[in-house]
Amino acid sequence: MAVQKLRSGVIGRIARLIDFRIDERLRDLNGRVNDLEHATADHRRRLDGAESGLEHARGDLRWTRAELDRLIPSVAAQEAQLEDLRESLSLPVHADKPELAEARSLIQEIQRQHAQIRVRLAGIARYEDRLRRLEDTITVPAGE
């Protein structure tokens, strides 16, 4: 009977030790799972923010594209006017001085407008390139 009591005491002690170790590991695992859930929620929130920013950038890109489509015919027309003026200047001119001064001022105005349009188009191109790089950065997973 004493051996059986000793055996049940040892078995009970081993069972409590095993239960203690299992509970300890479960607490660790529960803590890690909880931390991972918080990290996952944070990653989802950040991904939603990135997707929202990307959609905003796409809207800006659509607006820029529409502006570019609107400006291209104007630039083409001004280039045609400039070329017509260049051709007319290369012909011998039979005009008096006021007409020449007016023609020169018109050419200068067209050249000034042409330069402004080129600056705007260059700015739009840089903006589109930045948006493209932003989209590439967002679409490439961080692990790659």
Side-chain angles (χ1 to χ4, degrees):
M1 185 103 123
V3 173
Q4 191 171 1
K5 194 173 188 184
L6 184 63
R7 182 186 289 167
S8 68
V10 169
I11 290 174
R13 210 166 200 202
I14 291 173
R16 283 192 302 275
L17 180 64
I18 291 172
D19 287 343
F20 175 76
R21 295 291 182 193
I22 289 174
D23 286 344
E24 185 178 6
R25 288 199 178 181
L26 282 177
R27 278 191 297 273
D28 279 348
L29 288 175
N30 284 336
R32 289 174 63 192
V33 167
N34 197 14
D35 291 344
L36 290 173
E37 285 175 348
H38 288 301
T40 301
D42 183 52
H43 290 145
R44 285 186 179 138
R45 181 186 51 78
R46 290 171 58 197
L47 179 61
D48 289 343
E51 286 175 347
S52 172
L54 180 59
E55 192 55 40
H56 180 70
R58 284 183 179 143
D60 288 348
L61 182 60
R62 283 190 290 273
W63 178 85
T64 302
R65 183 79 228 167
E67 286 297 303
L68 186 61
D69 290 343
R70 185 180 66 81
L71 287 174
I72 286 174
S74 176
V75 171
Q78 286 199 349
E79 285 180 345
Q81 286 178 342
L82 187 59
E83 190 57 37
D84 289 345
L85 284 173
R86 281 190 185 134
E87 287 176 8
S88 68
L89 288 176
S90 66
L91 298 173
V93 178
H94 303 294
D96 57 1
K97 289 193 182 226
E99 288 175 347
L100 286 175
E102 183 181 346
R104 283 192 180 112
S105 69
L106 182 60
I107 289 171
Q108 288 172 348
E109 177 62 22
I110 290 173
Q111 288 173 337
R112 185 186 65 76
Q113 288 179 4
H114 188 74
Q116 286 177 344
I117 289 171
R118 283 182 190 239
V119 167
R120 287 181 185 142
L121 289 176
I124 289 170
R126 283 193 305 271
Y127 184 73
E128 284 182 337
D129 185 53
R130 283 188 0 221
L131 287 176
R132 180 193 54 78
R133 282 186 272 134
L134 176 64
E135 285 178 343
D136 290 346
T137 301
I138 291 174
T139 56
V140 174
E144 290 183 9

